[in-house]
Amino acid sequence: MTIKTIYLDNAATTAVAPEVIQEMLPYFETLWGNPSSLYAFGQQTRSALADARNRIATHLGTSDQNIYFTASGTEANNWAIKETMFAYQNKGRHFVTTAIEHHATSHSAAWLQKRGYEVTFLKVDKDGLVDPEEFRAALRPDTVLASIIYGNNEIGTVQPIKELAAIARENKVLLHTDAVQVVGHMPVDVEDLGVDFLSASGHKFNAPKGVGFLYIRKGIKTKGLLDGGAQERKRRAGTENVPYIMGMAKALDLSVANMHERTAHEMKLRDRLINRLLSEVEHCYLNGHRTQRLASNVNISFEFVEGESLLLMLEQRGILASSGSACASGSLDPSHVLLAIGLPHEIAHGSLRLTLSHETSIEDIDYTVRAIKEVVAQLRRMSPLYEDFMAGRKALSAVK
Amino acid sequence: MSYSEKVMEHFSNPRNMGEIENPSGVGTVGNAQCGDIMRVYLDINDGIVNDVKFKTFGCAAAVATSSMATELVKGKTIEEALKVTNAAVCDALDGLPQVKVHCSLLAEEAIHAALWDYAQKEGIAIEGLEPPKSDIHEEEEEEEAY
């Protein structure tokens, strides 16, 4: 018996759109010249690249000279954080970030700490929101940069970045936002947001893996991580990944053109999934903010069950999901994000992240609800924690 | 990290999952903080493990080792049951991914804890059996701090 696969892990990666593949093919097959070459064969790819950069910049409300292509969102985050702290160390050595960042940011922060920089990790509330006043209070005369994730990859909470950027600017602190889960999924206007840096990753919006970009506000002096040739306005060396960049521009064109419909569809299904699970499964909780939330993100903790078992049993029913960040799988600690919003360890271990796409159907959602109900019931029958709870013995897991 | 077919088979169809009413001994080990709790029920008659059941909160490795460990002690004498080691459980499952080997420790501990409980109830000493290290019921007072 073959089971239909229902892919609900779009925060991990997305399918490459067929139009994106078509867009890329000529740059493998015929237009494979080096954009730095002087002859026309190279100049053709140079102008294609310029066009891609220009389109991406337009979608983000900025000019093309502020968009720098990278190999990933991770590279963009590392660049913005490490190199900016280094470049402005005469001002100070203090960096501010949050407790719920992606590892690309939190591990860059740890890298800075090891080299004598000081890092403040802002707490978040139970919904995963940063308190703007706490942010203001954390900024000091020697604070160079703050980095705050725009839409959280695990719990989906969307931060008030515009408000936070205004506070940073009042205090003469630069603001970077990791917008990897946001670009291609929510309208983004970098000038209106007032951020100084913004990171994005192509494969989160139907472009291939291995390409991303960093927006850097004009006038900021930050060289990239790689030394070499004069590519990317001499800031990020290495021959441009032309096919993938062309694919990313096409993917963003498609996302922006259909954003309203896609988001409305995803939100409707997201809310159906959340509401059905919360009302039909006992002892489960939504993680992340109920409304200030990515359109595609559902993250729910089921008490008395463990996440890996939950995932494997869902996979047997054709449903592909994740428990916390995909990067956290294989590690034994529950997600730092779930702990930061105050979940006890045992409830964090029972978390399930389902991230939808514009291609998810209502039938997929209803099938998923049925499967989750079966699997959770099955795992609870096996759970000594549930047995204790039902017997009225003091359950070891705290009730939220 | 990937599991052997045997691990997946025991995870999907766990043997001896459930409870025993009025068991001869029960042992619960592990720690919800780490994401693994194993409880073993034993029915012992004339020094033989007549029946064994388990309940487990944990990953696939924890479920599969519980299932395999109960298979290995079922029908055995107490002395034989005591000799079921982590390594034996792991081997019977065709191995576990390195990061999951600690899960197999719980199976041996849970069986020992259940045997200890049996010995306490019967007022007997079982040679070579140590008191359980991490019986959860001993930690309940601390857990109330939540």
Short mmCIF file of all heavy atoms in Angstrom, two decimals, chain A residues 304-306 308-310 312-313 316 330 332 334 344-346 349-350 378-385 387-388 393-394 396-398, chain B residues 1 3 8 11-12 14 17 19 32-35 37 39 41 54-61 63 99-100 102 136 140 143-144 146:
data_model
loop_
_atom_site.label_atom_id
_atom_site.label_comp_id
_atom_site.label_asym_id
_atom_site.label_seq_id
_atom_site.Cartn_x
_atom_site.Cartn_y
_atom_site.Cartn_z
N PHE A 304 2.60 14.20 27.81
CA PHE A 304 2.77 12.76 28.06
C PHE A 304 3.31 11.99 26.86
O PHE A 304 3.40 10.77 26.90
CB PHE A 304 1.45 12.07 28.51
CG PHE A 304 0.62 12.87 29.47
CD1 PHE A 304 -0.66 13.29 29.13
CD2 PHE A 304 1.13 13.21 30.71
CE1 PHE A 304 -1.42 14.04 30.01
CE2 PHE A 304 0.38 13.96 31.61
CZ PHE A 304 -0.91 14.38 31.26
N VAL A 305 3.62 12.66 25.75
CA VAL A 305 4.23 11.94 24.63
C VAL A 305 5.55 12.60 24.24
O VAL A 305 5.79 13.75 24.57
CB VAL A 305 3.30 11.85 23.38
CG1 VAL A 305 1.96 11.26 23.74
CG2 VAL A 305 3.15 13.19 22.72
N GLU A 306 6.37 11.84 23.56
CA GLU A 306 7.70 12.32 23.20
C GLU A 306 7.75 12.58 21.70
O GLU A 306 7.23 11.80 20.90
CB GLU A 306 8.73 11.27 23.64
CG GLU A 306 10.16 11.73 23.60
CD GLU A 306 10.77 11.61 22.22
OE1 GLU A 306 10.36 10.72 21.45
OE2 GLU A 306 11.65 12.42 21.91
N GLU A 308 10.04 12.59 19.14
CA GLU A 308 10.62 11.75 18.09
C GLU A 308 9.68 10.59 17.74
O GLU A 308 9.47 10.27 16.57
CB GLU A 308 11.98 11.20 18.51
CG GLU A 308 12.68 10.52 17.34
CD GLU A 308 13.72 9.51 17.77
OE1 GLU A 308 14.88 9.89 17.94
OE2 GLU A 308 13.37 8.32 17.93
N SER A 309 9.10 9.97 18.78
CA SER A 309 8.16 8.88 18.54
C SER A 309 6.96 9.38 17.75
O SER A 309 6.47 8.72 16.82
CB SER A 309 7.68 8.30 19.87
OG SER A 309 8.73 7.58 20.48
N LEU A 310 6.52 10.57 18.12
CA LEU A 310 5.39 11.20 17.43
C LEU A 310 5.71 11.39 15.94
O LEU A 310 4.92 11.02 15.05
CB LEU A 310 5.14 12.55 18.11
CG LEU A 310 3.89 13.34 17.85
CD1 LEU A 310 2.66 12.51 18.15
CD2 LEU A 310 3.88 14.60 18.72
N LEU A 312 8.00 9.83 14.07
CA LEU A 312 8.19 8.57 13.33
C LEU A 312 6.84 7.91 13.04
O LEU A 312 6.64 7.34 11.97
CB LEU A 312 9.10 7.64 14.10
CG LEU A 312 10.58 8.06 14.14
CD1 LEU A 312 11.37 7.21 15.12
CD2 LEU A 312 11.21 7.97 12.76
N MET A 313 5.92 8.02 14.01
CA MET A 313 4.61 7.41 13.77
C MET A 313 3.81 8.21 12.73
O MET A 313 3.07 7.62 11.95
CB MET A 313 3.82 7.34 15.08
CG MET A 313 4.34 6.24 15.98
SD MET A 313 3.12 5.85 17.23
CE MET A 313 3.91 4.45 18.00
N GLN A 316 5.04 7.19 9.36
CA GLN A 316 4.45 5.92 8.91
C GLN A 316 3.08 6.13 8.29
O GLN A 316 2.59 5.29 7.55
CB GLN A 316 4.38 4.93 10.09
CG GLN A 316 5.76 4.45 10.51
CD GLN A 316 5.75 3.64 11.80
OE1 GLN A 316 4.77 3.62 12.52
NE2 GLN A 316 6.86 2.98 12.08
N GLY A 330 18.62 14.94 16.37
CA GLY A 330 19.90 14.30 16.61
C GLY A 330 20.55 14.82 17.88
O GLY A 330 21.39 14.18 18.47
N LEU A 332 20.04 15.89 21.87
CA LEU A 332 19.17 15.30 22.89
C LEU A 332 18.43 16.35 23.69
O LEU A 332 17.44 16.05 24.35
CB LEU A 332 19.99 14.41 23.83
CG LEU A 332 20.69 13.24 23.13
CD1 LEU A 332 21.61 12.51 24.08
CD2 LEU A 332 19.67 12.27 22.54
N PRO A 334 15.96 19.42 24.47
CA PRO A 334 14.81 20.01 23.79
C PRO A 334 15.17 21.40 23.26
O PRO A 334 16.17 21.98 23.68
CB PRO A 334 13.75 20.08 24.88
CG PRO A 334 14.48 20.01 26.17
CD PRO A 334 15.76 19.29 25.91
N PRO A 344 8.30 23.43 30.44
CA PRO A 344 9.14 22.47 31.15
C PRO A 344 9.72 21.48 30.12
O PRO A 344 9.12 21.26 29.07
CB PRO A 344 8.17 21.74 32.08
CG PRO A 344 6.88 22.46 32.01
CD PRO A 344 6.88 23.31 30.78
N HIS A 345 10.87 20.90 30.45
CA HIS A 345 11.54 19.99 29.51
C HIS A 345 10.61 18.92 28.94
O HIS A 345 10.60 18.68 27.75
CB HIS A 345 12.70 19.27 30.22
CG HIS A 345 13.96 20.05 30.22
ND1 HIS A 345 14.10 21.22 30.93
CD2 HIS A 345 15.14 19.83 29.61
CE1 HIS A 345 15.33 21.68 30.75
NE2 HIS A 345 15.98 20.86 29.95
N GLU A 346 9.82 18.27 29.81
CA GLU A 346 9.06 17.12 29.33
C GLU A 346 7.97 17.54 28.35
O GLU A 346 7.60 16.77 27.47
CB GLU A 346 8.47 16.30 30.49
CG GLU A 346 7.56 17.06 31.43
CD GLU A 346 8.33 17.75 32.55
OE1 GLU A 346 9.50 18.11 32.34
OE2 GLU A 346 7.74 17.92 33.62
N HIS A 349 9.73 18.28 25.04
CA HIS A 349 10.03 17.04 24.33
C HIS A 349 8.83 16.55 23.50
O HIS A 349 9.00 15.79 22.56
CB HIS A 349 10.41 15.93 25.31
CG HIS A 349 11.82 15.98 25.78
ND1 HIS A 349 12.89 15.86 24.92
CD2 HIS A 349 12.35 16.15 27.01
CE1 HIS A 349 14.01 15.95 25.61
NE2 HIS A 349 13.71 16.13 26.88
N GLY A 350 7.64 16.96 23.87
CA GLY A 350 6.43 16.51 23.16
C GLY A 350 5.92 17.51 22.16
O GLY A 350 4.72 17.55 21.87
N GLN A 378 -2.26 6.50 20.85
CA GLN A 378 -1.43 5.30 20.90
C GLN A 378 -0.21 5.50 21.81
O GLN A 378 0.12 4.64 22.62
CB GLN A 378 -0.97 4.99 19.48
CG GLN A 378 -0.48 3.58 19.27
CD GLN A 378 -0.17 3.32 17.79
OE1 GLN A 378 -0.75 3.94 16.90
NE2 GLN A 378 0.76 2.42 17.55
N LEU A 379 0.44 6.65 21.67
CA LEU A 379 1.62 6.92 22.50
C LEU A 379 1.25 7.13 23.96
O LEU A 379 2.00 6.78 24.85
CB LEU A 379 2.40 8.12 21.95
CG LEU A 379 3.15 7.86 20.65
CD1 LEU A 379 3.70 9.16 20.07
CD2 LEU A 379 4.30 6.88 20.88
N ARG A 380 0.06 7.70 24.18
CA ARG A 380 -0.35 7.89 25.58
C ARG A 380 -0.68 6.55 26.24
O ARG A 380 -0.43 6.38 27.43
CB ARG A 380 -1.53 8.86 25.65
CG ARG A 380 -1.06 10.30 25.49
CD ARG A 380 -2.20 11.29 25.56
NE ARG A 380 -1.65 12.65 25.45
CZ ARG A 380 -2.38 13.72 25.22
NH1 ARG A 380 -3.70 13.62 25.09
NH2 ARG A 380 -1.81 14.90 25.15
N ARG A 381 -1.23 5.62 25.47
CA ARG A 381 -1.48 4.29 26.05
C ARG A 381 -0.17 3.66 26.50
O ARG A 381 -0.13 2.84 27.40
CB ARG A 381 -2.15 3.37 25.00
CG ARG A 381 -3.66 3.52 24.93
CD ARG A 381 -4.32 2.34 24.22
NE ARG A 381 -3.92 2.18 22.84
CZ ARG A 381 -4.40 2.92 21.82
NH1 ARG A 381 -5.30 3.86 22.04
NH2 ARG A 381 -3.99 2.70 20.59
N MET A 382 0.91 4.07 25.84
CA MET A 382 2.22 3.50 26.14
C MET A 382 2.96 4.31 27.20
O MET A 382 4.03 3.93 27.65
CB MET A 382 3.05 3.50 24.83
CG MET A 382 4.11 2.43 24.74
SD MET A 382 5.22 2.70 23.35
CE MET A 382 4.13 2.49 21.95
N SER A 383 2.41 5.46 27.60
CA SER A 383 3.17 6.41 28.41
C SER A 383 2.93 6.24 29.91
O SER A 383 1.80 6.35 30.38
CB SER A 383 2.78 7.84 28.01
OG SER A 383 3.28 8.76 28.94
N PRO A 384 4.00 5.99 30.67
CA PRO A 384 3.84 5.91 32.13
C PRO A 384 3.39 7.25 32.73
O PRO A 384 2.74 7.27 33.77
CB PRO A 384 5.23 5.50 32.63
CG PRO A 384 6.17 5.81 31.52
CD PRO A 384 5.40 5.78 30.25
N LEU A 385 3.74 8.34 32.07
CA LEU A 385 3.33 9.66 32.57
C LEU A 385 1.81 9.81 32.48
O LEU A 385 1.16 10.33 33.37
CB LEU A 385 3.98 10.78 31.74
CG LEU A 385 5.48 10.92 31.82
CD1 LEU A 385 5.96 11.96 30.81
CD2 LEU A 385 5.90 11.32 33.22
N GLU A 387 -0.32 7.29 32.37
CA GLU A 387 -0.90 6.33 33.31
C GLU A 387 -1.00 6.97 34.71
O GLU A 387 -2.05 6.91 35.35
CB GLU A 387 -0.01 5.08 33.36
CG GLU A 387 -0.49 4.00 34.32
CD GLU A 387 0.56 2.90 34.48
OE1 GLU A 387 1.20 2.53 33.49
OE2 GLU A 387 0.74 2.43 35.62
N ASP A 388 0.08 7.63 35.13
CA ASP A 388 0.07 8.28 36.43
C ASP A 388 -0.96 9.39 36.48
O ASP A 388 -1.68 9.56 37.45
CB ASP A 388 1.46 8.88 36.73
CG ASP A 388 2.47 7.80 37.07
OD1 ASP A 388 2.06 6.64 37.25
OD2 ASP A 388 3.68 8.12 37.14
N ARG A 393 -2.38 9.93 40.15
CA ARG A 393 -1.09 10.12 40.82
C ARG A 393 -0.50 11.41 40.29
O ARG A 393 -0.79 11.84 39.18
CB ARG A 393 -0.16 8.94 40.50
CG ARG A 393 -0.57 7.66 41.19
CD ARG A 393 0.55 6.64 41.12
NE ARG A 393 0.70 6.07 39.80
CZ ARG A 393 0.10 4.93 39.38
NH1 ARG A 393 -0.69 4.28 40.20
NH2 ARG A 393 0.31 4.47 38.18
N LYS A 394 0.33 11.99 41.09
CA LYS A 394 0.89 13.27 40.67
C LYS A 394 1.72 13.05 39.41
O LYS A 394 2.67 12.28 39.42
CB LYS A 394 1.77 13.83 41.77
CG LYS A 394 1.97 15.33 41.66
CD LYS A 394 2.96 15.81 42.68
CE LYS A 394 4.32 15.25 42.42
NZ LYS A 394 4.86 15.58 41.09
N LEU A 396 4.39 13.74 36.64
CA LEU A 396 5.70 14.37 36.75
C LEU A 396 5.77 15.62 35.91
O LEU A 396 6.52 16.53 36.19
CB LEU A 396 6.77 13.38 36.31
CG LEU A 396 6.99 12.25 37.30
CD1 LEU A 396 7.77 11.13 36.64
CD2 LEU A 396 7.73 12.76 38.51
N SER A 397 4.97 15.63 34.87
CA SER A 397 5.00 16.82 34.02
C SER A 397 4.13 17.89 34.65
O SER A 397 3.05 17.61 35.13
CB SER A 397 4.46 16.46 32.64
OG SER A 397 3.23 15.82 32.77
N ALA A 398 4.64 19.08 34.67
CA ALA A 398 3.88 20.18 35.24
C ALA A 398 2.73 20.52 34.33
O ALA A 398 2.84 20.44 33.11
CB ALA A 398 4.80 21.38 35.40
N MET B 1 21.65 10.00 11.52
CA MET B 1 21.18 9.00 12.49
C MET B 1 20.04 8.22 11.89
O MET B 1 19.05 8.79 11.45
CB MET B 1 20.67 9.74 13.74
CG MET B 1 20.26 8.79 14.86
SD MET B 1 19.15 9.61 16.04
CE MET B 1 17.59 9.58 15.20
N TYR B 3 17.77 4.30 12.33
CA TYR B 3 17.54 3.12 13.14
C TYR B 3 17.60 1.86 12.29
O TYR B 3 17.26 1.87 11.11
CB TYR B 3 16.16 3.21 13.79
CG TYR B 3 16.06 4.24 14.88
CD1 TYR B 3 15.11 5.26 14.83
CD2 TYR B 3 16.90 4.17 16.00
CE1 TYR B 3 15.00 6.18 15.86
CE2 TYR B 3 16.79 5.09 17.03
CZ TYR B 3 15.84 6.10 16.96
OH TYR B 3 15.72 7.01 17.96
N MET B 8 12.95 -0.30 14.29
CA MET B 8 11.70 0.25 13.77
C MET B 8 10.55 -0.76 13.91
O MET B 8 9.41 -0.39 14.18
CB MET B 8 11.85 0.67 12.30
CG MET B 8 12.64 1.96 12.11
SD MET B 8 12.08 3.33 13.16
CE MET B 8 10.47 3.67 12.44
N PHE B 11 9.58 -0.76 17.52
CA PHE B 11 8.93 0.53 17.81
C PHE B 11 7.50 0.52 17.27
O PHE B 11 6.55 0.95 17.94
CB PHE B 11 9.73 1.68 17.18
CG PHE B 11 9.01 3.00 17.17
CD1 PHE B 11 8.72 3.66 18.36
CD2 PHE B 11 8.62 3.59 15.96
CE1 PHE B 11 8.05 4.89 18.35
CE2 PHE B 11 7.94 4.80 15.94
CZ PHE B 11 7.66 5.45 17.14
N SER B 12 7.33 0.00 16.06
CA SER B 12 6.00 0.01 15.43
C SER B 12 5.07 -1.03 16.06
O SER B 12 3.86 -0.80 16.13
CB SER B 12 6.12 -0.27 13.94
OG SER B 12 7.02 0.63 13.36
N PRO B 14 5.37 -2.80 19.40
CA PRO B 14 6.05 -3.14 20.66
C PRO B 14 5.45 -4.38 21.31
O PRO B 14 4.23 -4.54 21.35
CB PRO B 14 5.86 -1.90 21.54
CG PRO B 14 4.80 -1.09 20.89
CD PRO B 14 4.74 -1.48 19.45
N MET B 17 3.65 -4.43 25.71
CA MET B 17 3.30 -3.09 26.16
C MET B 17 2.02 -3.17 26.99
O MET B 17 1.08 -3.86 26.60
CB MET B 17 3.13 -2.18 24.95
CG MET B 17 3.17 -0.69 25.29
SD MET B 17 1.63 -0.03 25.94
CE MET B 17 0.65 0.02 24.44
N GLU B 19 0.15 -2.95 31.21
CA GLU B 19 0.32 -2.99 32.66
C GLU B 19 0.00 -4.40 33.15
O GLU B 19 -0.66 -5.17 32.46
CB GLU B 19 -0.68 -2.04 33.35
CG GLU B 19 -0.48 -0.58 33.00
CD GLU B 19 -1.71 0.26 33.36
OE1 GLU B 19 -2.18 0.14 34.51
OE2 GLU B 19 -2.19 1.00 32.49
N ALA B 32 11.93 12.60 33.01
CA ALA B 32 11.15 13.27 31.98
C ALA B 32 11.93 14.43 31.37
O ALA B 32 11.73 14.78 30.21
CB ALA B 32 9.83 13.76 32.55
N GLN B 33 12.85 15.02 32.16
CA GLN B 33 13.67 16.12 31.65
C GLN B 33 14.48 15.68 30.44
O GLN B 33 14.64 16.41 29.49
CB GLN B 33 14.64 16.57 32.74
CG GLN B 33 13.98 17.32 33.86
CD GLN B 33 14.54 18.71 34.00
OE1 GLN B 33 15.69 18.95 33.66
NE2 GLN B 33 13.73 19.64 34.46
N CYS B 34 15.01 14.46 30.53
CA CYS B 34 15.81 13.93 29.42
C CYS B 34 14.92 13.34 28.34
O CYS B 34 15.39 12.95 27.28
CB CYS B 34 16.78 12.86 29.90
SG CYS B 34 17.83 13.44 31.21
N GLY B 35 13.65 13.22 28.63
CA GLY B 35 12.74 12.74 27.61
C GLY B 35 12.57 11.24 27.57
O GLY B 35 12.08 10.70 26.58
N ILE B 37 11.30 7.90 30.08
CA ILE B 37 10.88 7.23 31.32
C ILE B 37 10.41 5.84 30.95
O ILE B 37 9.65 5.66 30.00
CB ILE B 37 9.72 7.97 32.02
CG1 ILE B 37 10.17 9.36 32.44
CG2 ILE B 37 9.23 7.18 33.24
CD1 ILE B 37 9.11 10.16 33.12
N ARG B 39 8.87 2.15 32.57
CA ARG B 39 8.28 1.45 33.71
C ARG B 39 8.09 -0.02 33.35
O ARG B 39 7.54 -0.33 32.29
CB ARG B 39 6.93 2.07 34.07
CG ARG B 39 6.21 1.35 35.21
CD ARG B 39 4.98 2.13 35.67
NE ARG B 39 5.40 3.41 36.23
CZ ARG B 39 4.58 4.46 36.39
NH1 ARG B 39 3.31 4.36 36.03
NH2 ARG B 39 5.02 5.57 36.90
N TYR B 41 6.72 -3.81 34.69
CA TYR B 41 5.90 -4.60 35.62
C TYR B 41 6.31 -6.05 35.49
O TYR B 41 6.43 -6.56 34.38
CB TYR B 41 4.41 -4.54 35.23
CG TYR B 41 3.78 -3.17 35.22
CD1 TYR B 41 3.92 -2.34 34.12
CD2 TYR B 41 3.01 -2.75 36.30
CE1 TYR B 41 3.33 -1.10 34.09
CE2 TYR B 41 2.40 -1.49 36.28
CZ TYR B 41 2.56 -0.68 35.17
OH TYR B 41 1.96 0.54 35.15
N PHE B 54 5.55 -3.38 29.91
CA PHE B 54 6.25 -2.10 30.08
C PHE B 54 5.38 -0.95 29.61
O PHE B 54 4.43 -1.13 28.82
CB PHE B 54 7.57 -2.10 29.29
CG PHE B 54 7.39 -1.80 27.82
CD1 PHE B 54 7.40 -0.48 27.34
CD2 PHE B 54 7.20 -2.83 26.90
CE1 PHE B 54 7.22 -0.21 25.99
CE2 PHE B 54 7.02 -2.56 25.55
CZ PHE B 54 7.03 -1.25 25.09
N LYS B 55 5.71 0.23 30.12
CA LYS B 55 5.21 1.48 29.54
C LYS B 55 6.41 2.42 29.43
O LYS B 55 7.24 2.48 30.34
CB LYS B 55 4.15 2.09 30.45
CG LYS B 55 2.82 1.37 30.34
CD LYS B 55 1.66 2.28 30.60
CE LYS B 55 0.37 1.54 30.28
NZ LYS B 55 -0.79 2.42 30.57
N THR B 56 6.49 3.12 28.31
CA THR B 56 7.64 3.99 28.08
C THR B 56 7.22 5.31 27.47
O THR B 56 6.41 5.35 26.54
CB THR B 56 8.67 3.28 27.16
OG1 THR B 56 9.24 2.20 27.90
CG2 THR B 56 9.77 4.21 26.72
N PHE B 57 7.78 6.38 28.04
CA PHE B 57 7.69 7.71 27.45
C PHE B 57 9.08 7.97 26.90
O PHE B 57 10.04 8.00 27.66
CB PHE B 57 7.32 8.72 28.55
CG PHE B 57 7.59 10.16 28.20
CD1 PHE B 57 6.66 10.92 27.51
CD2 PHE B 57 8.77 10.79 28.61
CE1 PHE B 57 6.91 12.25 27.21
CE2 PHE B 57 9.01 12.12 28.32
CZ PHE B 57 8.07 12.86 27.62
N GLY B 58 9.20 8.07 25.59
CA GLY B 58 10.53 8.30 25.05
C GLY B 58 10.58 8.12 23.54
O GLY B 58 9.56 7.91 22.90
N CYS B 59 11.82 8.19 23.04
CA CYS B 59 12.03 8.11 21.60
C CYS B 59 11.87 6.67 21.11
O CYS B 59 11.67 5.75 21.90
CB CYS B 59 13.43 8.63 21.27
SG CYS B 59 14.71 7.64 22.02
N ALA B 60 12.02 6.47 19.83
CA ALA B 60 11.87 5.14 19.24
C ALA B 60 12.86 4.16 19.84
O ALA B 60 12.53 3.00 20.06
CB ALA B 60 12.05 5.23 17.73
N ALA B 61 14.08 4.63 20.14
CA ALA B 61 15.09 3.74 20.72
C ALA B 61 14.64 3.28 22.11
O ALA B 61 14.82 2.11 22.47
CB ALA B 61 16.43 4.46 20.82
N VAL B 63 11.54 3.00 23.21
CA VAL B 63 10.40 2.08 23.06
C VAL B 63 10.91 0.71 22.61
O VAL B 63 10.54 -0.32 23.16
CB VAL B 63 9.36 2.64 22.06
CG1 VAL B 63 8.28 1.60 21.78
CG2 VAL B 63 8.75 3.94 22.59
N VAL B 99 24.16 8.17 19.47
CA VAL B 99 23.53 9.13 20.37
C VAL B 99 22.36 8.51 21.15
O VAL B 99 21.84 9.13 22.07
CB VAL B 99 23.01 10.40 19.65
CG1 VAL B 99 24.16 11.23 19.11
CG2 VAL B 99 22.02 10.05 18.55
N LYS B 100 21.95 7.32 20.75
CA LYS B 100 20.79 6.70 21.40
C LYS B 100 21.17 5.53 22.32
O LYS B 100 20.30 4.91 22.91
CB LYS B 100 19.81 6.18 20.34
CG LYS B 100 19.25 7.28 19.45
CD LYS B 100 18.25 8.14 20.21
CE LYS B 100 17.56 9.11 19.27
NZ LYS B 100 16.56 9.93 19.96
N HIS B 102 22.46 5.47 25.15
CA HIS B 102 22.09 5.67 26.56
C HIS B 102 20.66 5.20 26.85
O HIS B 102 20.33 4.87 27.98
CB HIS B 102 22.25 7.15 26.93
CG HIS B 102 21.15 8.01 26.41
ND1 HIS B 102 21.10 8.43 25.10
CD2 HIS B 102 20.04 8.48 27.00
CE1 HIS B 102 20.00 9.14 24.92
NE2 HIS B 102 19.34 9.20 26.04
N ILE B 136 11.90 6.96 39.92
CA ILE B 136 11.26 8.26 39.85
C ILE B 136 10.46 8.59 41.10
O ILE B 136 10.37 9.74 41.51
CB ILE B 136 10.39 8.32 38.59
CG1 ILE B 136 11.29 8.79 37.47
CG2 ILE B 136 9.23 9.27 38.74
CD1 ILE B 136 10.81 8.38 36.15
N GLU B 140 9.79 12.39 43.64
CA GLU B 140 8.52 13.11 43.54
C GLU B 140 8.48 14.38 44.38
O GLU B 140 7.91 15.37 43.96
CB GLU B 140 7.35 12.18 43.92
CG GLU B 140 6.88 11.37 42.74
CD GLU B 140 5.53 10.74 42.94
OE1 GLU B 140 5.05 10.69 44.08
OE2 GLU B 140 4.95 10.30 41.93
N GLU B 143 10.07 17.15 42.56
CA GLU B 143 9.33 17.55 41.37
C GLU B 143 8.20 18.50 41.71
O GLU B 143 7.74 19.26 40.87
CB GLU B 143 8.76 16.32 40.65
CG GLU B 143 9.82 15.40 40.07
CD GLU B 143 10.46 15.96 38.83
OE1 GLU B 143 9.84 16.82 38.18
OE2 GLU B 143 11.59 15.54 38.50
N GLU B 144 7.74 18.46 42.99
CA GLU B 144 6.63 19.33 43.34
C GLU B 144 7.00 20.81 43.27
O GLU B 144 6.13 21.67 43.33
CB GLU B 144 6.10 18.97 44.73
CG GLU B 144 4.86 18.09 44.61
CD GLU B 144 4.49 17.40 45.90
OE1 GLU B 144 4.22 18.14 46.85
OE2 GLU B 144 4.46 16.17 45.93
N TYR B 146 7.72 22.41 40.86
CA TYR B 146 7.20 23.03 39.64
C TYR B 146 6.02 23.95 39.92
O TYR B 146 4.98 23.58 40.33
CB TYR B 146 6.73 21.93 38.66
CG TYR B 146 7.82 21.51 37.72
CD1 TYR B 146 8.19 20.18 37.58
CD2 TYR B 146 8.49 22.46 36.96
CE1 TYR B 146 9.19 19.80 36.72
CE2 TYR B 146 9.49 22.10 36.09
CZ TYR B 146 9.83 20.76 35.97
OH TYR B 146 10.82 20.41 35.08
#
